[in-house]
Amino acid sequence: MSATVIKPASQPDTLLRTPLFDLHVAQGGKMVPFAGYSMPVQYDGLGVLKEHLYTRSAAGLFDVSHMGQALLYSPTIDPAAALEQLVPGDIIGLQDGQQRYTLLLNDNGGIIDDMMVARLNDHTLFLVVNAACKEKDFAHLRAKIGNVTSLTVLDTRALLALQGPLAEKALSPLFPEITKMRFMDVITTKYEGHDVYISRSGYTGEDGFEISLPQDLAAAFTQKLLGNPDVKLIGLGARDSLRLEAGLCLYGHDLDENTTPVEANLKWTIGKRRREAANFAGAEKIMAQMTAGATRLRVGLKPEGRAPMREGTPLVDSAGNNIGTITSGGFGPSVDGPVAMGYIDAAFSKSGAPVFALLRGEPRPVAISALPFTPHRYKKD
């Protein structure tokens, strides 16, 4: 979803399509390859900047059906106990109808993927993983815990994200029960007689919902939402700038298998009970970094001036020594200026450190910034 990934291109015959492909084209979607799918980067009439600002002020509707959805089930044990071997989050502690962001780790503490895990009941977890990683993730889960759990891939379901301050108002006529939900709550409800999973979460920093429903219902359901004048379709371009302003990581850019949760400044994902037990994949390395600190860290960056700084831009100190790299960068419409994230030597990770980015070979001052760049507006009360 970053500028280096989304590029207009011809559509190979091998690209997959979500259930909303025809609707995107009819609505003026500019389709581009992304994670093996043909996806809308923006729509005629608004464009990325206006789509971004619209989501911050009203209700933006995103097609995220390319994401991987699955149920992790066991008839005899709590599948959370099995999953906790592979992730550092407190999954056992989830109550029915609660969701948690966590990280799928390799044996060296590197991040295989980041994912959402929701407890539907004592024996079933609902997983949402990244599109580009889903085949790898599902194979890893089956190889590691398939002897005690069953993984059912939900490849006949669509996934929509309705985000923004008017999201509740737009969705509640169809599902009145959502008004009682708070951030990271999950419900199972019905739509036209079929199960629908709704979580109060998203990838923009705004209040909103993610809705999983059968793919055959997706187009008509989307049209019904678009009948509300507050709702507009939003593409991947604005999704990327929204998540960047919110300080949220994009897998394959800000996270990868050579990066630990400590280095990624995601220590908060490691539950207190999990730290004490240290019984998850890569725990030895991760807990050593928790004690001694990591040599590099993900930080927020605010470049001086108006020029955006993109992924791959080198970071240097005042003597020109390389000290890091930008992993996500662009223009933040809500903050009206360039914003970025990247990895930097830990000694330079504090506010006020002398850091420069090499823009076309010229060093430009960059300020270490707290994340997020724009406040989160999740409904937690």
Side-chain angles (χ1 to χ4, degrees):
M1 285 169 248
S2 73
T4 55
V5 175
I6 300 174
K7 297 179 180 179
S10 60
Q11 303 295 298
D13 293 338
T14 55
L15 280 182
L16 300 173
R17 296 178 175 184
T18 75
L20 298 182
F21 176 85
D22 291 339
L23 179 61
H24 295 314
V25 173
Q27 293 284 333
K30 185 176 184 180
M31 309 304 288
V32 300
F34 179 76
Y37 285 78
S38 181
M39 298 293 291
V41 66
Q42 65 182 68
Y43 295 87
D44 292 342
L46 284 180
V48 173
L49 188 147
K50 290 182 179 179
E51 288 179 14
H52 176 116
L53 294 174
Y54 190 86
T55 303
R56 292 265 187 253
S57 63
L61 183 60
F62 301 81
D63 178 14
V64 288
S65 302
H66 58 314
M67 304 285 281
Q69 303 179 68
L71 298 176
L72 190 66
Y73 171 80
S74 173
T76 57
I77 67 166
D78 181 357
L83 185 59
E84 282 195 356
Q85 299 174 45
L86 309 178
V87 304
D90 181 1
I91 310 302
I92 292 174
L94 287 174
Q95 301 297 310
D96 291 359
Q98 290 183 335
Q99 179 175 251
R100 183 153 287 146
Y101 172 83
T102 195
L103 306 167
L104 189 63
L105 301 175
N106 62 30
D107 291 338
N108 199 39
I111 301 170
I112 297 172
D113 199 6
D114 56 344
M115 61 195 297
M116 302 298 286
V117 180
R119 184 184 287 282
L120 301 184
N121 55 55
D122 289 349
H123 296 286
T124 309
L125 300 174
F126 175 49
L127 314 180
V128 178
V129 304
N130 283 298
C133 302
K134 58 187 177 183
E135 300 301 332
K136 173 185 68 173
D137 293 353
F138 296 152
H140 184 76
L141 290 166
R142 287 182 171 127
K144 293 292 186 178
I145 58 174
N147 60 325
V148 291
T149 64
S150 172
L151 184 77
T152 302
V153 177
L154 303 178
D155 52 9
T156 60
R157 295 184 75 84
L159 189 65
L160 304 173
L162 186 65
Q163 301 283 290
L166 299 184
E168 180 184 289
K169 179 184 175 184
L171 191 61
S172 58
L174 298 175
F175 304 104
E177 60 268 43
I178 64 151
T179 60
K180 299 179 181 178
M181 297 174 67
R182 299 297 180 265
F183 181 57
M184 300 300 266
D185 284 350
V186 179
I187 62 170
T188 302
T189 186
K190 293 287 185 180
Y191 182 75
E192 295 190 358
H194 296 271
D195 281 345
V196 174
Y197 308 131
I198 302 177
S199 66
R200 194 157 199 160
S201 58
Y203 194 48
T204 62
E206 296 294 328
D207 181 31
F209 303 87
E210 294 189 319
I211 307 132
S212 170
L213 74 167
Q215 62 182 17
D216 294 344
L217 303 178
F221 179 81
T222 300
Q223 291 279 29
K224 187 169 289 189
L225 284 176
L226 291 175
N228 186 316
D230 294 330
V231 178
K232 293 187 184 297
L233 282 169
I234 307 296
L236 292 180
R239 181 172 164 87
D240 190 53
S241 59
L242 288 159
R243 70 91 192 168
L244 177 56
E245 284 187 346
L248 303 176
C249 296
L250 175 62
Y251 192 83
H253 300 257
D254 311 298
L255 305 174
D256 58 38
E257 292 201 41
N258 297 312
T259 302
T260 70
V262 179
E263 294 165 341
N265 253 326
L266 295 174
K267 291 188 291 186
W268 58 268
T269 65
I270 309 172
K272 180 180 178 183
R273 174 178 60 82
R274 308 308 315 282
R275 298 182 190 195
E276 293 171 351
N279 58 353
F280 51 88
E284 183 177 356
K285 178 176 180 178
I286 290 169
M287 295 315 299
Q289 289 183 336
M290 291 281 284
T291 301
T295 58
R296 65 179 189 126
L297 292 169
R298 178 177 65 95
V299 295
L301 301 161
K302 278 195 172 181
E304 186 178 279
R306 304 286 290 176
M309 295 184 179
R310 305 295 183 182
E311 177 185 359
T313 302
L315 299 171
V316 298
D317 64 14
S318 55
N321 300 307
N322 189 284
I323 56 172
T325 307
I326 289 177
T327 52
S328 286
F331 188 81
S334 304
V335 300
D336 192 30
V339 291
M341 295 190 297
Y343 283 83
I344 198 166
D345 292 353
F348 292 87
S349 64
K350 302 297 183 184
S351 177
V355 177
F356 302 85
L358 292 182
L359 190 63
R360 292 183 289 275
E362 294 293 325
R364 302 288 183 88
V366 177
I368 304 296
S369 172
L371 295 171
F373 298 106
T374 191
H376 293 164
R377 287 188 275 263
Y378 306 131
K379 186 174 179 180
K380 295 185 176 182
D381 295 335

